[in-house]
Amino acid sequence: MTEQFPLSYAVPTALLLIALVLKFPTLVRAWRDPDVRATTLLLSFATVVLVVITPVNIARLNELTGVPNIASPWAYSFLTAFCATGLTMIMRWREEPSPRRRRRMRRVYWIYAGIVVALWVTFLLADVPEPRIYDLDTYYAGTPWMREHILLYLSAHMVSSLVATSMLWKWFPRIGNRWLKSGVVCLQAGFASGLVFDAAKLTALTARWSGHDWDVLSTRAAPPFALLEAVLVAVGFIVPQVGPSLQNRIHERREYRQLRPLWSAVRDVVPSTLSPRSVRRMPLGLRLVQRQQRIHDALRILAPHLDRDLYRRARRLAPEGLGEDEARGLAGAVTVRAALDAHRGDEPARASLDRREPGADLSDHIDAISQALRHPHLIDSIRQRVTTTESVDTDVS
């Protein structure tokens, strides 16, 4: 990364672009939904602001248009639009649809649209011939009309950040979804970072007006908080959307792997008509459902060989300290192994494990059975003890 494309700008811009990409399929499916449109607009405005304020792009805009500092009204207009969209979006979250909410949202849009117009008017009236890449605000802090231009965008941003932070703070206790709650925390922190940015900028401007040079607050201290705001806002919208799907994918991946031992044991009972390549191309969720279904199919085929007494004896011989699910899984693994041996040896059918539905107990615990199959020595030991017990019982009788 060169100095022209600093990492400090690239990272938040990339995060916002990721958030936009993740949101785009939802926008396509539900573009009539005002919440979806508002979220997309919010992320779009934030992304454009970061793209415009990147130093290399400020210089390019000056060169392409021939207008010094033209990036200022562009960036601040999109920032103002971002503020308005953020406020109205939070209103949609917090309040039920009503004429009052609709009037308040329209009022916000009209006020901030007026600010955007005023930003362009003040810039056009201002005399700012010297291009400034890093210190525009403090360099022109005393310039007529440019002073008002700067105060307009800072005031609009500060008010929106204060109101948004307050609204999110009051809404937070009523949120039940943990992913949404995490996103709101990030948004709160993001808007709070925006307030720090405004405070640093206003302090530097006030110092300029009083004849002091505190420009470092504007040029050095404030920008990191603006970038932090962009990162946190991006994360705030990414987390509620990506979190549940990522959690679901992790759960599916874990369950798919947990079923591998049982699937490997019974796969010959129900031969697949699909090639391994076709299976690999399937979505993970579909592969999991297929694996579960084929395991259940195999258990139904093995039902005539599932020995009910063997299951009960194995359950009683399970080592102490095992939980109920683990003990059931171990007994089920012993029973399935015995049924597989009987099936492959063409032995006559045995009494089923459950008269109402053969293999029902096993079908309800396939995860535990699969985990137990990871310990073949324990399974063999219990089978041997069950066989020994049966022999003793036979001799006694």
Side-chain angles (χ1 to χ4, degrees):
M1 186 70 66
T2 66
E3 289 186 2
Q4 287 185 313
F5 299 95
L7 188 64
S8 57
Y9 288 89
V11 170
T13 304
L15 284 171
L16 286 167
L17 285 172
I18 291 171
L20 271 174
V21 170
L22 292 171
K23 203 69 182 175
F24 185 74
T26 306
L27 177 65
V28 172
R29 291 193 306 268
W31 65 273
R32 294 180 182 274
D33 187 335
D35 291 341
V36 173
R37 291 201 303 269
T39 303
T40 306
L41 282 174
L42 185 82
L43 295 172
S44 300
F45 291 147
T47 304
V48 173
V49 170
L50 288 186
V51 170
V52 173
I53 67 172
T54 303
V56 63
N57 290 331
I58 294 176
R60 284 174 178 170
L61 274 174
N62 290 336
E63 294 173 5
L64 289 173
T65 62
V67 180
N69 304 306
I70 189 63
S72 175
W74 276 113
Y76 298 157
S77 294
F78 281 111
L79 179 62
T80 302
F82 165 84
C83 295
T85 308
L87 285 176
T88 56
M89 184 183 62
I90 296 172
M91 290 178 186
R92 288 192 180 95
W93 283 353
R94 281 170 41 91
E95 304 173 23
E96 294 294 329
S98 66
R100 178 177 178 272
R101 190 190 75 169
R102 189 161 52 251
R103 287 194 300 268
R104 291 178 62 200
M105 290 169 57
R106 286 177 179 173
R107 191 178 301 123
V108 170
Y109 282 132
W110 278 113
I111 291 173
Y112 278 81
I115 293 173
V116 170
V117 173
L119 284 170
W120 282 94
V121 170
T122 52
F123 177 78
L124 292 174
L125 292 175
D127 182 19
V128 287
E130 180 67 23
R132 308 302 299 184
I133 304 297
Y134 299 98
D135 61 347
L136 175 74
D137 294 347
T138 51
Y139 187 83
Y140 288 113
T143 302
W145 295 112
M146 194 62 183
R147 173 183 57 229
E148 288 75 15
H149 176 84
I150 296 166
L151 285 175
L152 266 174
Y153 96 82
L154 282 175
S155 299
H157 184 259
M158 181 173 61
V159 169
S160 69
S161 296
L162 278 170
V163 175
T165 303
S166 174
M167 293 172 73
L168 289 170
W169 181 266
K170 293 177 182 178
W171 184 48
F172 181 79
R174 303 201 301 268
I175 302 174
N177 184 289
R178 68 187 184 95
W179 290 109
L180 180 57
K181 183 167 285 191
S182 299
V184 168
V185 169
C186 292
L187 290 174
Q188 283 180 302
F191 287 121
S193 299
L195 288 173
V196 177
F197 165 83
D198 296 327
K201 284 279 187 180
L202 287 172
T203 302
L205 291 176
T206 304
R208 272 279 187 165
W209 295 333
S210 62
H212 298 86
D213 184 359
W214 290 3
D215 290 7
V216 67
L217 291 176
S218 177
T219 59
R220 298 284 185 180
F225 287 99
L227 297 175
L228 180 61
E229 178 184 9
V231 171
L232 290 172
V233 168
V235 172
F237 286 105
I238 290 174
V239 166
Q241 183 170 341
V242 175
S245 60
L246 180 60
Q247 183 182 25
N248 184 57
R249 185 170 181 82
I250 292 173
H251 173 74
E252 290 177 341
R253 175 70 63 181
R254 182 173 61 249
E255 189 168 358
Y256 187 76
R257 289 177 177 173
Q258 285 177 346
L259 290 176
R260 183 178 297 167
L262 180 55
W263 165 238
S264 298
V266 303
R267 63 189 305 174
D268 294 338
V269 178
V270 187
S272 176
T273 58
L274 299 174
S275 66
R277 178 177 295 182
S278 299
V279 173
R280 286 194 297 269
R281 289 176 179 174
M282 290 181 181
L284 178 60
L286 183 58
R287 279 187 284 157
L288 174 61
V289 171
Q290 186 199 48
R291 176 167 287 187
Q292 291 170 333
Q293 186 60 51
R294 294 187 64 193
I295 288 174
H296 289 307
D297 290 343
L299 290 177
R300 280 193 290 270
I301 293 174
L302 293 173
H305 300 285
L306 295 174
D307 191 334
R308 184 173 186 171
D309 291 333
L310 175 62
Y311 178 84
R312 290 174 175 174
R313 290 171 182 268
R315 175 67 183 83
R316 288 197 298 267
L317 292 173
E320 294 183 4
L322 291 182
E324 182 63 24
D325 287 342
E326 292 176 308
R328 286 177 178 269
L330 183 58
V334 172
T335 308
V336 168
R337 283 280 295 273
L340 284 169
D341 292 342
H343 176 75
R344 290 163 183 162
D346 292 327
E347 296 181 11
R350 304 288 298 271
S352 68
L353 180 65
D354 192 316
R355 293 173 182 172
R356 293 168 301 169
E357 183 180 347
D361 284 357
L362 301 186
S363 297
D364 292 339
H365 298 87
I366 58 174
D367 288 337
I369 294 172
S370 186
Q371 291 301 302
L373 286 171
R374 296 180 182 274
H375 308 284
H377 297 299
L378 180 57
I379 294 172
D380 292 339
S381 173
I382 291 180
R383 284 188 68 183
Q384 185 176 5
R385 291 167 62 191
V386 170
T387 303
T388 303
T389 304
E390 288 178 346
S391 300
V392 170
D393 292 342
T394 302
D395 293 339
V396 171
S397 60

